[in-house]
Amino acid sequence: MQTNLRAALLVGILGSASLANAQQRTSLELNKPYYCSNGLTVTVARCVLQAGKEFCEFKVEQNGKLSFQAAQPGENLAAGLKSCSTKPPAGAPSEAAAPTAPKRALRAGNFNPPYLAEMPTAERVMETMKTDDPRESATRQMAAFEELMDIIKELSGPREFRGWLPDETKILTEYSAAKYNLSLASDKAYPGPYKTGQTFSDYTPYHYSRFDPRFGYKDIFVWQFFSENVRSQFALLVGKDNANYAAKIAEQKRASEEALKPNSQGAQPGASPFVRNDPGTLAARRCVELGGSELECIGKGLWGGLLDMAGVNPNAMSGSAGSGVVMNGFYAGGQGLSINFAEKSVSVTGCGKLVPNSHAYTITKKANQLLLNVENAPAPFIISMGSDEKLSGPGPVEIAGQIIIGYHDVWMQEYRNGRELVGGNCAGRCGYWVHDPIYAPKTERCGIGTFTQLPPGAPGKSGIINALTTSIDSLMHTGPAGLRMMGRYSNAGGLVLEFEADAVTIDCGAAHVKQAYTVENAAAQILIAVKNGSAPFTLAVQPDGTLLGTGNAEIAGRVVTGATGDALTYATKNARCAIATLTPKSGN
């Protein structure tokens, strides 16, 4: 997907939505599972609006196991779910009778906060971390106590620095005392020698920082003590660390591979889910052959299979496919003004009190200049690009848009298995408030002057937003700022190029590969340099929209041949195609 989804979601969550007259919501129900075939359920967590388009975060579960989390345009998600139902299928177990993980031993009594009831006792930690080697047992036990204390500290939020609640203090003291006593006994039992100044208890190979990708999973699996709800809360809070949050999803990916095996359509036990031939698997197989991560590709496979079950052509969901040169990314101007380009529109942020509003644009190449023609009310304007890739506008421009004058408060009830969640850890009903903006028309006069590429921003302080953008970044690649290409091009010799914001996929016969590319605003024409390994090639954009190149494209790709256990096996696949003239594909 080439739309700048990350920006759309961020702006929407922060309340800077698009023009009210363009807002179109789907009828998706939030936090209520949609039951699909093959044991799949899809739950939509939240939806936001930007540039008149709705984007929704969702998760896919198969046979009760989390398989995939991502975001999609609301219309795409609704299309994929049209064959699913919010009513549990006949014969499905009720929530009370649903299969569950082994029961966790809860502490007796009421706790504040309630999740503390899931914290294991010190005795249970000691027993669970035992191995046949007493030294190894002590090392694991000490690390487990440290990680459990880190979980409480992270979930406590600002209380980690302002002071604990009584129940938090009680359990932290219990763990700290247990670790201290264990350290004394271990240092006495295993005196060394060790490095200067160190004791046995100083050796902590299994104690990972709470922001380390291995925390809770690697070597000592402390998450076995907790419900999925506690795991999710922790993952959201530390999600500002992209690598850490990706690791949590990677662990869920492993579970999804296991969940896929019972539905392998004849595959042998333990075989990779990528060696089948259903539509979803074909999409996943192509994804890994092009170098995608298994997390990303399993997600594409599940989504492709879901669309196939719904009888939906994913290529037709976004309307007529476009092609040609486009702009991408953020550009910063003066006085807090910035613009953000997607493949078909540019949004303006910081123009007075206007919410970020979206404008269509077209690109015109003339001798020694490139012009961006921006649609706008009451009058369009032109931004030019120089050889230094800086953008220059006409100066003060009247922009008609809307401002936020208030909010509607809407309660979003949470559901499980089609029933409202009440009680438990909730103070009454489970859910959250959404503040939907109220808009009014407004025209502002803003200086459309010089803009420069805006570097990626630092992670924000909101765990929820960072967790959401992390999941988006791991699955959707926005590409660099500046001139990019979009669309699918082909010629009679079998060469096919499919451009996205981050890379171009090249197909030649049975060989395919994904490569980086650059777009240059040269003096006389626009040039595309494809970084095709040891055989790069250049294309020139012609006035009629075709791409012209010379020579041959040498493609060195790979194909999946099978699997050994959970590891895929590949074979090289090489091909050669003449470049010549490539014509854009029109229509869907």
Side-chain angles (χ1 to χ4, degrees):
M1 179 182 299
Q2 300 170 13
T3 303
N4 197 326
L5 181 55
R6 173 176 179 171
L9 285 170
L10 279 176
V11 172
I13 292 173
L14 293 172
S16 300
S18 59
L19 301 182
N21 60 9
Q23 292 183 4
Q24 297 295 326
R25 290 185 182 270
T26 61
S27 57
L28 292 170
E29 297 190 56
L30 301 184
N31 299 300
K32 190 171 184 178
Y34 285 81
Y35 298 90
C36 312
S37 58
N38 294 338
L40 286 175
T41 60
V42 179
T43 305
V44 185
R46 61 175 69 88
C47 296
V48 297
L49 286 167
Q50 171 63 15
K53 194 169 187 178
E54 182 181 49
F55 298 92
C56 299
E57 184 188 15
F58 67 98
K59 66 178 180 179
V60 177
E61 295 172 290
Q62 187 165 44
N63 300 322
K65 293 183 179 180
L66 182 63
S67 296
F68 183 56
Q69 289 178 297
Q72 285 276 348
E75 58 184 338
N76 293 11
L77 193 55
L81 295 175
K82 72 176 186 178
S83 65
C84 307
S85 173
T86 55
K87 296 181 180 180
S94 65
E95 180 179 2
T100 60
K103 187 174 181 180
R104 296 174 300 279
L106 301 181
R107 291 173 179 258
N110 297 320
F111 289 85
N112 182 27
Y115 84 87
L116 290 174
E118 297 185 29
M119 301 301 298
T121 63
E123 292 78 10
R124 184 165 175 240
V125 175
M126 298 283 286
E127 183 63 31
T128 304
M129 294 298 157
K130 274 186 178 179
T131 70
D132 293 335
D133 182 352
R135 295 169 61 102
E136 178 73 2
S137 296
T139 302
R140 292 173 180 269
Q141 289 161 346
M142 286 186 288
F145 284 126
E146 285 289 349
E147 292 201 358
L148 289 168
M149 287 189 283
D150 279 348
I151 290 173
I152 295 177
K153 293 173 183 177
E154 187 65 38
L155 294 181
S156 71
R159 292 194 300 277
E160 180 178 359
F161 309 101
R162 298 176 184 173
W164 313 107
L165 295 174
D167 288 342
E168 291 170 332
T169 301
K170 178 181 177 181
I171 297 177
L172 285 169
T173 302
E174 175 187 341
Y175 289 161
S176 179
K179 180 180 181 294
Y180 175 74
N181 292 329
L182 180 61
S183 299
L184 292 179
S186 299
D187 290 342
K188 183 177 180 180
Y190 313 113
Y194 303 102
K195 293 181 180 180
T196 303
Q198 285 192 335
T199 64
F200 176 83
S201 60
D202 293 325
Y203 177 63
T204 56
Y206 303 140
H207 175 213
Y208 305 109
S209 161
R210 71 185 82 166
F211 302 103
D212 190 298
R214 298 166 290 184
F215 183 93
Y217 290 110
K218 178 68 172 174
D219 300 315
I220 54 167
F221 185 49
V222 300
W223 291 118
Q224 64 183 295
F225 299 120
F226 299 101
S227 65
E228 185 61 38
N229 181 51
V230 173
R231 295 192 203 184
S232 298
Q233 288 182 50
F234 182 90
L236 284 174
L237 290 172
V238 300
K240 55 183 175 292
D241 183 311
N242 288 354
N244 189 43
Y245 194 69
K248 302 301 181 290
I249 300 178
E251 179 66 15
Q252 296 165 355
K253 181 269 300 183
R254 183 200 61 78
S256 76
E257 289 179 322
E258 293 296 322
L260 284 171
K261 288 176 182 177
N263 301 297
S264 60
Q265 297 185 5
Q268 296 300 314
S272 165
F274 293 137
V275 296
R276 309 192 310 265
N277 289 307
D278 56 278
T281 300
L282 291 176
R285 182 188 305 167
R286 177 176 171 86
C287 178
V288 295
E289 289 173 346
L290 292 172
S293 68
E294 291 187 18
L295 166 64
E296 173 186 0
C297 298
I298 285 177
K300 287 185 176 179
L302 284 172
W303 181 248
L306 190 65
L307 291 175
D308 181 67
M309 286 188 291
V312 175
N313 174 11
N315 296 323
M317 290 193 299
S318 58
S320 178
S323 61
V325 183
V326 297
M327 286 290 292
N328 188 59
F330 289 87
Y331 285 75
Q335 300 180 337
L337 194 69
S338 64
I339 52 179
N340 175 30
F341 287 95
E343 63 185 34
K344 296 180 180 179
S345 63
V346 56
S347 61
V348 180
T349 302
C351 181
K353 294 184 179 181
L354 296 182
V355 298
N357 52 350
S358 185
H359 307 262
Y361 72 92
T362 57
I363 294 179
T364 303
K365 175 61 181 174
K366 294 186 177 181
N368 297 312
Q369 61 178 334
L370 185 143
L371 304 178
L372 309 176
N373 310 285
V374 182
E375 292 185 8
N376 176 56
F381 59 89
I382 294 176
I383 299 176
S384 63
M385 172 181 279
S387 58
D388 58 0
E389 296 192 347
K390 289 184 178 180
L391 305 180
S392 298
V397 171
E398 298 285 338
I399 296 180
Q402 297 205 340
I403 59 174
I404 297 174
I405 60 173
Y407 293 88
H408 290 296
D409 289 339
V410 180
W411 175 256
M412 306 302 292
Q413 174 66 41
E414 293 191 27
Y415 292 81
R416 181 176 299 163
N417 293 345
R419 292 181 291 187
E420 291 187 1
L421 286 181
V422 296
N425 294 340
C426 305
R429 300 166 67 201
C430 296
Y432 54 92
W433 287 99
V434 171
H435 305 287
D436 278 351
I438 303 171
Y439 299 92
K442 175 72 172 171
T443 298
E444 297 274 13
R445 186 173 179 83
C446 297
I448 306 298
T450 301
F451 294 86
T452 56
Q453 291 184 7
L454 190 65
K461 296 182 179 180
S462 169
I464 293 177
I465 293 176
N466 281 313
L468 180 56
T469 56
T470 299
S471 64
I472 295 168
D473 287 342
S474 66
L475 299 164
M476 301 179 183
H477 313 291
T478 56
L483 288 171
R484 306 303 290 163
M485 290 292 296
M486 63 176 288
R488 184 181 177 91
Y489 294 76
S490 62
N491 64 19
L495 182 63
V496 179
L497 304 181
E498 187 165 359
F499 288 96
E500 296 182 86
D502 65 317
V504 56
T505 300
I506 310 170
D507 280 89
C508 175
H512 42 240
V513 69
K514 194 169 187 177
Q515 301 286 8
Y517 70 94
T518 60
V519 182
E520 178 189 358
N521 177 27
Q525 58 190 160
I526 296 175
L527 300 177
I528 305 164
V530 179
K531 313 293 186 180
N532 185 35
S534 60
F537 57 90
T538 300
L539 304 166
V541 180
Q542 304 301 296
D544 62 358
T546 61
L547 306 180
L548 180 62
T550 60
N552 297 310
E554 304 283 349
I555 308 304
R558 65 176 186 173
V559 293
V560 173
T561 57
T564 303
D566 288 330
L568 297 175
T569 57
Y570 299 90
T572 58
K573 179 67 68 172
N574 299 329
R576 173 189 292 178
C577 287
I579 300 175
T581 299
L582 294 140
T583 303
K585 178 183 177 182
S586 59
N588 294 333

